[in-house]
């Protein structure tokens, strides 16, 4: 009697399948691979809390999840992954907030739900920052916190922009702003009534 063949069959994976690389669902998962986009959408949907949802509400939640992914509009696979995690983190945080508001529960139960909701909200903010940083890669912002002007120097009040030119150089463009000048000048000299007739200096703040 022959033994049944229990060996697992090897799966065949086709890379860069032309039938898959059509990107019809790219606005959902950010990829030209619709297999990826479908998988990502399913992962986001399966992270929903649907236990107490009615059939109509269940369908609305599924549509809303796909709509959220499309609203975020991932441009590549990395953005697609972050978008799906944003949706999942938001849903989990809101579920924890909901549970924290349920009456007739212990103080410890309410506190634990709020703690978890707070952690999820922080994770959401981190993911959002990562998405914005990925989308704005190459941009740099320099903030000057302290300006020291030494004796004999001059401070410019305004915005200085470095504009690149075709030759690869940079030109500083200064937006004209009003400048304030302070001078420690004395009042014009007036003649006193002394015998010699020499002028007497009167300070600015002196009594006339």
């Amino acid at each position: 009697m022959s033994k049944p063949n229990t060996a697992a069959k090897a799966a065949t994976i086709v890379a860069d399948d032309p039938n898959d690389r059509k990107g019809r669902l790219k606005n959902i998962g950010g990829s030209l691979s619709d297999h990826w986009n479908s998988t990502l959408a399913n992962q986001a949907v399966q992270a929903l809390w649907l236990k107490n949802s009615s059939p109509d509400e269940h369908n609305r939640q599924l549509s809303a999840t796909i709509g959220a992914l499309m609203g975020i509009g991932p441009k590549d696979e990395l953005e697609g992954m972050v978008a799906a995690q944003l949706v999942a983190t938001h849903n989990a945080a809101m579920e924890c907030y909901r549970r924290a508001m349920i009456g007739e529960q212990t103080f410890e139960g309410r506190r634990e739900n709020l703690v978890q909701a707070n952690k999820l909200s922080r994770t959401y903010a981190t993911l959002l920052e990562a998405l914005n940083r990925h989308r704005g890669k190459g941009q740099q912002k320099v903030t000057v916190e302290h300006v020291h002007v030494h004796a004999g120097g001059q401070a410019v009040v305004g915005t200085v922009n470095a504009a690149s030119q075709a030759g690869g150089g940079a030109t500083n463009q200064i937006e004209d702003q009003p400048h304030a000048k302070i001078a420690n000048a004395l009042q014009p000299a007036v003649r006193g009534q002394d015998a010699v007739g020499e002028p007497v200096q009167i300070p600015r703040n002196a009594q006339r």
Side-chain angles (χ1 to χ4, degrees):
M1 182 177 179
S2 60
K3 296 181 179 180
N5 184 10
T6 58
K9 295 182 179 179
T12 302
I13 300 176
V14 179
D16 201 18
D17 185 0
N19 294 326
D20 175 46
R21 306 288 294 181
K22 295 182 179 181
R24 290 172 293 189
L25 303 176
K26 189 176 186 297
N27 57 343
I28 296 177
S31 177
L32 291 176
S33 170
D34 285 330
H35 291 336
W36 164 264
N37 298 325
S38 298
T39 300
L40 190 76
N42 287 328
Q43 289 174 342
V45 166
Q46 291 171 3
L48 296 175
W49 179 261
L50 303 172
K51 182 178 180 180
N52 299 323
S53 301
S54 64
D56 291 339
E57 187 177 0
H58 181 278
N59 292 333
R60 285 196 298 269
Q61 287 177 287
L62 298 182
S63 299
T65 300
I66 301 302
L69 293 174
M70 295 174 64
I72 297 173
K75 300 299 186 296
D76 53 36
E77 289 81 359
L78 290 176
E79 291 189 10
M81 287 185 283
V82 175
Q85 293 180 44
L86 280 170
V87 174
T89 304
H90 166 75
N91 289 325
M94 298 307 296
E95 177 62 23
C96 288
Y97 282 125
R98 184 192 69 81
R99 294 186 182 187
M101 296 300 105
I102 296 177
E104 300 180 357
Q105 64 174 316
T106 63
F107 173 79
E108 288 76 12
R110 184 186 303 273
R111 180 178 61 183
E112 180 62 25
N113 280 306
L114 289 176
V115 168
Q116 294 302 321
N118 180 58
K119 291 181 179 179
L120 289 165
S121 297
R122 291 177 180 271
T123 300
Y124 180 93
T126 302
L127 289 169
L128 183 59
E129 182 182 358
L131 178 61
N132 291 332
R133 186 167 58 248
H134 175 73
R135 286 179 168 177
K137 55 187 176 181
Q139 298 180 1
Q140 296 182 351
K141 180 180 179 180
V142 179
T143 301
V144 179
E145 296 182 353
H146 302 285
V147 177
H148 299 280
V149 181
H150 299 281
Q154 181 180 4
V156 177
V157 180
T159 304
V160 180
N161 297 324
S164 59
Q165 297 179 343
T171 303
N172 290 334
Q173 298 178 347
I174 303 177
E175 298 179 1
D176 293 335
Q177 298 288 343
H179 292 67
K181 295 183 179 180
I182 301 176
N184 295 324
L186 298 177
Q187 292 286 351
V190 297
R191 293 188 177 275
Q193 298 180 357
D194 55 333
V196 182
E198 293 295 332
V200 178
Q201 298 288 347
I202 300 178
R204 180 186 298 271
N205 297 327
Q207 294 289 337
R208 289 177 180 265

